Amino acid sequence: MARVFPQAAISSPYMSTERETFTVWMKSLVYQTNGLTVYNSNGEITYRVENYDKSSNEVHIMDLHGNILFTIRKKKLWLFGSWYVYRECGSTQEEVKPSARIKRSSIRDGDWEVRDETNEVFWILRFDPKFAFQIIDINGDIIAQVKPKQSSNGVTLGEDVLTLEVKPRVDHSLVVALVTVYGLIKGLV
């Protein structure tokens, strides 16, 4: 399976040798309620999340055609919870080993630790009280960044419209899963 960090071999339709920029609309495509819709740089829908029940501990990330790519589950442990991301594999789900596990960081308040299926560590670093953050690797290199989307004139398009920038050779489908988890943590998805 393709790993998140930039040294990964390109073996997935969800990776590119170029930096990719996406627009994330923090609304459901179908009902314009809970969920998110991700557009590529050509304005085409690439991913979507429909969350019909905000109290649910499970959401699915789908492609444009409704094929489930990931299932995200929240597991409540004591006071805090962890989020588990499972990559869909045909008709069965690989539940034995999640693709990623996200938990509150013990290093800095508001940040989250991510461990992929190979136990590689990444962090989601919050740098804005609203919804701006970076995903960095163990070396501190930025893997992906989310920030409010601005027009060419520098006008912010709204709190629910974001720009997602993903480095080359990074599995952007997994990055979208991490953006979704962060949205769930913030209560926006």
Side-chain angles (χ1 to χ4, degrees), residues 54-73:
K54 262 192 147 173
S55 64
S56 173
N57 287 330
E58 180 175 291
V59 297
H60 304 285
I61 297 174
M62 298 172 277
D63 64 12
L64 171 63
H65 306 292
N67 299 313
I68 296 174
L69 303 176
F70 292 97
T71 297
I72 299 171
R73 291 198 178 106

Side-chain angles (χ1 to χ4, degrees), residues 32-78:
Q32 296 183 4
T33 57
N34 303 324
L36 62 86
T37 307
V38 180
Y39 300 85
N40 65 17
S41 58
N42 296 324
E44 302 163 330
I45 296 170
T46 53
Y47 305 103
R48 62 191 182 99
V49 174
E50 308 295 336
N51 186 3
Y52 304 114
D53 180 7
K54 262 192 147 173
S55 64
S56 173
N57 287 330
E58 180 175 291
V59 297
H60 304 285
I61 297 174
M62 298 172 277
D63 64 12
L64 171 63
H65 306 292
N67 299 313
I68 296 174
L69 303 176
F70 292 97
T71 297
I72 299 171
R73 291 198 178 106
K74 181 178 183 180
K75 306 238 174 155
K76 189 86 167 159
L77 301 172
W78 295 348

Side-chain angles (χ1 to χ4, degrees), residues 58-122:
E58 180 175 291
V59 297
H60 304 285
I61 297 174
M62 298 172 277
D63 64 12
L64 171 63
H65 306 292
N67 299 313
I68 296 174
L69 303 176
F70 292 97
T71 297
I72 299 171
R73 291 198 178 106
K74 181 178 183 180
K75 306 238 174 155
K76 189 86 167 159
L77 301 172
W78 295 348
L79 199 53
F80 303 108
S82 291
W83 298 86
Y84 293 84
V85 177
Y86 298 94
R87 187 179 296 272
E88 293 292 325
C89 298
S91 61
T92 62
Q93 194 175 40
E94 269 186 43
E95 286 202 53
V96 176
K97 196 170 188 181
S99 297
R101 183 179 72 116
I102 300 94
K103 68 176 188 169
R104 187 177 300 272
S105 173
S106 59
I107 297 172
R108 195 174 90 167
D109 187 39
D111 294 342
W112 295 81
E113 178 183 293
V114 179
R115 287 193 182 266
D116 72 5
E117 74 276 5
T118 65
N119 217 25
E120 187 82 23
V121 178
F122 301 88

